[in-house]
Amino acid sequence: MQKTDHVSDFARITPTARIDRPSHGWRAKCLQRLVRLDLPVPETVALPAPTVRSIAAGHPIDSKAILAHFGESSLISVRPSPENPDWGGPATVLNIGLNADQHAALVRRHGQAAADAIYLRFIQSYSTHVARLDPDMFATTQPSASAIKDALRVYEAEMDEEFPFDPARQLAEVLRSMARAWEGTSARLLRQAKGAPAEAPLGLVVQAMAQGIGQGISGSGVIQFVDPVTGQPQITGRYLGQGQGRDALMAEQALYLTHDPRGPSLQDIAPEIFADLLRYGVACRARLREEMQIEFTIEDGRLAVLDAVKVQRSARAGLRIAVDLAKDGVISHEEAVLRVEPRALTEMLHPQVDARAPRDVVARGIAASPGAAVGRIVFSSAAAQASAARGEPCILVRRETAPEDIRGMHSAAAVLTERGGMTSHAAVIARGLGLPCVVGADIRLDPKEKRIHAQGRSFGEGDLITVDGTTGQVLAGAADMLPPALDEHFQTLLGWADQFRDIGVRANADTPSDAAMARTFKAQGIGLCRTEHMFFEEDRLIVMREMIFADTSQDRAAALTRLLPMQRADFVQLFEIMAGLPVCIRLFDPPLHEFLPHSREGLRELAEALDKPLSDVTRRAEALAEFNPMLGMRGVRLGVVLPEIYAMQAQAIFEATVEVARRGAAVVPEIMIPLVSARREVELVKTHIDAVAAAVRVKEGTDFDYKLGVMVETPRAALRAGEIAQHAAFLSFGTNDLTQMTYGLSRDDAGRFMNTYVQQGVFPEDPFHILDVDGVGELLLIGAERGRKTREDLTLSICGEHGGNPESIAFCRKAGFDYVSCSPYRVPLARLAAAHLALQDPILH
């Protein structure tokens, strides 16, 4: 096309016109549907994306041909029509075609004041949106002849030319301005941030003006039929008499739509028009298969529908709307499931800061665990427990958490740390507890003064703050909150999702309360129970320390005998809560030094409790210290060197199995060996556990089954999975440690530089947050292939933090894994994500 050619490709929107969304955009297609519903839509034409792109490239526009379609002396508007409404677009321009003659005609029809207001608004809109002049130049209090002259004078002074009064030129400039704005760098970046492709097309819609002014009932407004926060049926909106566009949403003098004690409503002054709007809303919902917001204009008692857009909504409202549409037969259950983004569920599982309320943000960090909580600052686990005992919500603030902080985390309403990333101790435990958590925050903690400093402000112990783990923000004071939304609609949608998904979803649950939450969210069992967390309770911790300081195997076994009934009671509770669902118990994993005090004062107290010299206690603590404890004496290495620990745990598991079976619940426990790297490790542990099982069978006089498996956390275990599978009924990939060891990267420290790495393209995403399918994923595939080559019925799963990510679930599903396991509060997300994947890709192989 030569630049001398005039662009004039447009289509009138009629019921039968060829209007398609990829070319003409969502607004044009929606208007066509409104026309098909016989709604009173003003005359409209649509310019397709290729035409708009040609206009942006500088080709002349045959604006006269477009104007001729509407007839001389008609006023028109231009609106953007991208393929997706979420991509935004240039601002709408109303009343194109206004000049002195048209102004005079408006004066004759509607009076001087209304005509002046429309004319002045057009001049201001054209000057700011088309000529790109500063809006402040056109600020004025009241429309008048002098205000119009002033505005025209400003335009002429700034542009060195007279304001364009020719309607054809006005339309041409509006179309060119909107086309070029869409192609601009800022607009591209903005819509790409919303998920649009770089070359996303734009259509434009030209529509005859329905003025909203007149002698009879006249004005403009918007109406919608659901609450945008809750999704409950509710008529909301505003109406502004003698107004145009969407001004009614912001105007103080706008009326409410339904009967209202605060004053007259549209329903009061125009009941027939209000009834028509209700009827149009019902039609739109049924035929457009969505809850729509309708923009309308009334001119001398004549109703015109200018547009309809999908109601903007919160995540909880979106879920309720999808379920209600499906229940009413408007959409299918499958479509309802697909309409709800899995990650949106996190907003519904926990209390949230009300988005409509003001926020006094004092710090920002990594949103490590969703939800929000208000509480008073405490700086130690002891203080958190004391606060909970008083019934006062508190926020536990630490530089970084350690295993001994677990009791404090259980007592806190939320956790805030100065250090850490998505897979730091605080983040992992908080997600498991369903506790709002922000880590790596831009705060400075002063433990001696018991204060935190952030952005020039200081907060001390007892000060009230709000932690928003959904956004990563820390707010001063108590923010307005919304409760969780685990209602009937939530349960219904996830019930539908379970009908479609084809991969199992279990929960990582370390305590009876975790297991109960897993059942609440309908997990299909426990995929990882970390038993070491049970040993940090006060009455057990001292026994663990006695075991650590024992000098002989007999003394260690004696100390562990005191822990046996506690462990057995734990497992009985877990088995009973899970009611026959599978429970996978990981044997003891952490290095022993984690159970010892870290301060000299703590060591002195331990020496007193053990009745040992401080020097002996200090010497033993120093002997247990390791340069890199995460790669040292932990996991299966403890089980091989100190077999008494695993023997006690196995006995507790088997005795609990027998006890629960006698109560009528059949249980087949799954015992998982952590941190394996060699087949011989599994052989040694299996021999000990089989011996314990035989002893319990003889002692209890009954038989039982159990499964022994391996937690694949080392690259070598993945590579040697074929050998290991000879002695394992299942392989569960612990992707937290596997990622750490594959990268040679500490998951607790990676947050310090991970943003830089991602921004500079070293890693596409944080590998502790999104599974690295190229590196870690290849190890998973190798391990799965080699393991199943040895044992066809080998059960495969992942139980790391990645188990709750949709991307990781997609990977596991394609690799033929049997289930994923994640923290209880991520189970709903995983269930919905798995359903999405099954519906979008029903054929796996």
Side-chain angles (χ1 to χ4, degrees):
M1 181 185 289
Q2 301 295 319
K3 282 200 175 184
T4 54
D5 296 338
H6 281 73
V7 178
S8 60
D9 183 19
F10 63 89
R12 182 186 178 213
I13 295 182
T14 66
T16 58
R18 296 187 62 181
I19 304 293
D20 64 274
R21 182 164 173 166
S23 180
H24 295 91
W26 73 270
R27 177 169 269 124
K29 191 63 185 176
C30 182
L31 285 169
Q32 184 181 48
R33 289 170 176 157
L34 298 181
V35 170
R36 288 172 177 168
L37 293 175
D38 290 328
L39 270 60
V41 177
E43 182 68 20
T44 310
V45 301
L47 279 65
T51 296
V52 176
R53 192 161 281 137
S54 295
I55 293 171
H59 294 283
I61 311 157
D62 192 355
S63 55
K64 291 183 178 179
I66 298 173
L67 285 172
H69 176 81
F70 292 95
E72 294 184 13
S73 75
S74 293
L75 300 181
I76 56 177
S77 64
V78 179
R79 287 180 167 85
S81 183
E83 184 175 352
N84 189 319
D86 294 334
W87 296 348
T92 294
V93 180
L94 306 177
N95 295 304
I96 300 165
L98 258 175
N99 52 28
D101 292 341
Q102 288 284 7
H103 177 234
L106 287 176
V107 171
R108 290 192 295 272
R109 288 203 304 272
H110 304 300
Q112 188 73 46
D116 286 351
I118 292 173
Y119 198 14
L120 180 61
R121 174 176 175 169
F122 170 66
I123 295 169
Q124 293 170 335
S125 177
Y126 186 95
S127 299
T128 56
H129 295 308
V130 181
R132 308 294 172 186
L133 299 181
D134 188 342
D136 291 341
M137 297 178 180
F138 299 92
T140 185
T141 53
Q142 292 294 331
S144 64
S146 62
I148 292 170
K149 288 180 181 178
D150 288 343
L152 292 172
R153 192 179 302 114
V154 169
Y155 181 95
E156 186 172 345
E158 291 295 321
M159 298 297 295
D160 291 327
E161 66 175 9
E162 189 179 51
F163 187 88
F165 295 109
D166 176 33
R169 183 185 168 193
Q170 290 176 7
L171 177 58
E173 294 298 330
V174 167
L175 295 173
R176 183 178 293 110
S177 172
M178 294 176 75
R180 288 179 174 172
W182 179 259
E183 299 293 341
T185 302
S186 297
R188 282 172 178 260
L189 292 174
L190 188 61
R191 64 177 177 265
Q192 280 182 263
K194 298 176 181 178
E199 300 302 319
L202 175 72
L204 292 172
V205 165
V206 183
Q207 189 176 71
M209 284 295 303
Q211 286 298 343
I213 59 174
Q215 301 302 315
I217 296 174
S218 300
S220 64
V222 292
I223 184 172
Q224 61 190 43
F225 307 91
V226 292
D227 184 288
V229 174
T230 66
Q232 293 178 337
Q234 178 181 328
I235 298 171
T236 59
R238 305 292 293 278
Y239 169 76
L240 179 65
Q242 303 296 325
Q244 289 187 326
R246 303 178 72 86
D247 290 349
L249 290 174
M250 295 167 284
E252 290 186 10
Q253 67 271 32
L255 305 179
Y256 290 92
L257 298 178
T258 57
H259 297 306
D260 193 280
R262 290 165 287 190
S265 66
L266 181 63
Q267 186 177 13
D268 296 323
I269 65 174
E272 292 183 359
I273 292 175
F274 180 77
D276 284 341
L277 287 171
L278 297 186
R279 184 163 50 84
Y280 297 158
V282 171
C284 286
R285 184 179 189 269
R287 297 288 293 277
L288 303 185
R289 304 165 64 249
E290 185 55 275
E291 289 288 358
M292 306 296 287
Q293 182 188 83
I294 297 174
E295 181 179 349
F296 63 91
T297 295
I298 306 170
E299 184 174 352
D300 286 332
R302 296 187 303 277
L303 176 63
V305 173
L306 306 183
D307 204 359
V309 299
K310 187 174 83 168
V311 171
Q312 294 296 309
R313 62 201 65 176
S314 68
R316 62 182 64 199
L319 184 147
R320 176 170 183 141
I321 289 168
V323 171
D324 283 344
L325 287 171
K327 284 184 173 180
D328 292 343
V330 177
I331 63 175
S332 65
H333 292 179
E334 291 90 338
E335 185 170 350
V337 167
L338 289 172
R339 283 193 181 190
V340 179
E341 173 62 32
R343 285 190 171 91
L345 294 185
T346 57
E347 179 183 313
M348 289 164 251
L349 301 177
H350 312 273
Q352 296 286 333
V353 175
D354 192 335
R356 300 165 293 188
R359 288 176 174 243
D360 183 6
V361 180
V362 296
R364 289 178 171 83
I366 297 170
S369 182
V374 177
R376 299 194 180 277
I377 295 173
V378 296
F379 293 97
S380 69
S381 287
Q385 289 174 281
S387 182
R390 295 191 302 269
E392 297 176 355
C394 66
I395 308 296
L396 178 61
V397 182
R398 303 285 285 163
R399 184 157 284 136
E400 55 190 342
T401 62
E404 60 263 29
D405 290 313
I406 288 176
R407 292 193 303 278
M409 295 177 73
H410 271 283
S411 302
V415 176
L416 171 65
T417 69
E418 183 179 357
R419 299 174 183 166
M422 281 298 292
T423 51
S424 63
H425 179 271
V428 172
I429 300 304
R431 284 195 290 273
L433 297 175
L435 201 62
C437 180
V438 174
V439 300
D442 53 355
I443 60 173
R444 182 171 59 83
L445 176 61
D446 185 341
K448 289 184 179 180
E449 296 293 328
K450 292 189 174 181
R451 300 197 71 80
I452 55 174
H453 304 279
Q455 299 184 8
R457 299 167 72 174
S458 179
F459 300 86
E461 192 160 43
D463 287 347
L464 202 62
I465 61 172
T466 301
V467 169
D468 189 343
T470 302
T471 64
Q473 295 178 336
V474 182
L475 315 177
D480 294 342
M481 305 287 286
L482 292 173
L486 306 178
D487 57 11
E488 175 194 351
H489 290 79
F490 180 90
Q491 302 297 347
T492 296
L493 185 91
L494 286 177
W496 293 341
D498 290 339
Q499 297 173 14
F500 307 128
R501 63 182 172 88
D502 51 14
I503 186 171
V505 178
R506 295 194 196 179
N508 301 340
D510 303 336
T511 64
S513 61
D514 292 341
M517 189 58 63
R519 286 300 307 274
T520 297
F521 293 136
K522 294 185 170 54
Q524 294 172 289
I526 294 176
L528 172 62
C529 173
R530 291 165 284 217
T531 52
E532 61 271 11
H533 292 160
M534 301 172 179
F535 294 127
F536 282 101
E537 296 296 332
E538 197 65 45
D539 57 338
R540 307 179 188 201
L541 188 57
I542 187 63
V543 182
M544 276 297 296
R545 288 170 172 173
E546 288 180 13
M547 187 276 296
I548 291 170
F549 281 87
D551 294 319
T552 67
S553 174
Q554 291 79 8
D555 290 343
R556 283 193 294 272
L560 289 166
T561 299
R562 292 166 58 194
L563 284 175
L564 175 64
M566 304 178 193
Q567 276 270 274
R568 182 173 57 238
D570 291 331
F571 298 138
V572 167
Q573 274 192 284
L574 284 179
F575 294 153
E576 288 188 330
I577 290 170
M578 298 312 294
L581 293 173
V583 176
C584 183
I585 299 169
R586 183 180 75 181
L587 297 173
F588 192 87
D589 179 55
L592 294 178
H593 79 90
E594 288 191 1
F595 294 88
L596 299 182
H598 299 296
S599 67
R600 186 166 182 81
E601 180 183 352
L603 290 171
R604 184 179 294 108
E605 292 176 357
L606 178 58
E608 292 177 358
L610 297 176
D611 194 21
K612 289 179 177 289
L614 176 61
S615 58
D616 289 355
V617 172
T618 303
R619 192 179 305 114
R620 179 63 62 89
E622 290 174 349
L624 287 172
E626 297 177 280
F627 286 109
N628 194 335
M630 287 301 99
L631 298 178
M633 183 74 156
R634 55 169 286 217
V636 70
R637 297 155 197 169
L638 277 172
V640 171
V641 177
L642 304 173
E644 302 86 4
I645 300 175
Y646 282 6
M648 181 277 291
Q649 289 193 300
Q651 184 178 345
I653 292 169
F654 296 143
E655 289 179 355
T657 300
V658 172
E659 183 174 337
V660 172
R662 284 173 176 161
R663 298 178 188 177
V667 176
V668 180
E670 300 173 3
I671 299 176
M672 184 156 65
I673 308 172
L675 210 73
V676 166
S677 56
R679 176 184 64 182
R680 183 59 179 158
E681 292 172 320
V682 183
E683 290 174 343
L684 290 170
V685 172
K686 185 176 188 300
T687 299
H688 290 307
I689 291 178
D690 284 346
V692 173
V696 172
R697 288 186 180 111
V698 171
K699 174 187 170 186
E700 299 292 340
T702 186
D703 198 9
F704 55 83
D705 292 326
Y706 74 95
K707 296 179 180 179
L708 185 71
V710 166
M711 191 169 183
V712 180
E713 302 168 87
T714 67
R716 193 177 193 277
L719 295 172
R720 307 309 297 167
E723 295 178 356
I724 291 170
Q726 295 173 14
H727 306 290
F730 61 89
L731 298 181
S732 187
F733 291 82
T735 52
N736 297 350
D737 270 350
L738 186 58
T739 299
Q740 185 169 237
M741 295 188 187
T742 302
Y743 276 84
L745 185 62
S746 166
R747 65 184 183 183
D748 293 310
D749 299 321
R752 300 180 186 181
F753 59 85
M754 189 56 67
N755 284 343
T756 302
Y757 260 52
V758 172
Q759 288 171 3
Q760 297 192 18
V762 180
F763 304 148
E765 294 286 350
D766 181 341
F768 293 109
H769 184 47
I770 301 295
L771 180 68
D772 163 33
V773 297
D774 296 327
V776 179
E778 186 170 0
L779 286 172
L780 263 65
L781 293 175
I782 290 171
E785 180 185 1
R786 293 179 181 179
R788 280 196 167 153
K789 191 172 183 180
T790 297
R791 188 168 183 163
E792 288 185 4
D793 63 346
L794 185 71
T795 298
L796 298 173
S797 67
I798 66 169
C799 59
E801 279 297 296
H802 298 101
N805 287 339
E807 299 87 351
S808 308
I809 295 170
F811 177 89
C812 292
R813 183 174 173 269
K814 288 183 179 178
F817 279 41
D818 296 282
Y819 69 86
V820 298
S821 189
C822 53
S823 61
Y825 280 91
R826 304 188 84 187
V827 165
L829 184 156
R831 291 165 61 194
L832 183 56
H836 275 224
L837 293 165
L839 289 169
Q840 292 163 348
D841 180 21
I843 301 175
L844 280 176
H845 305 291

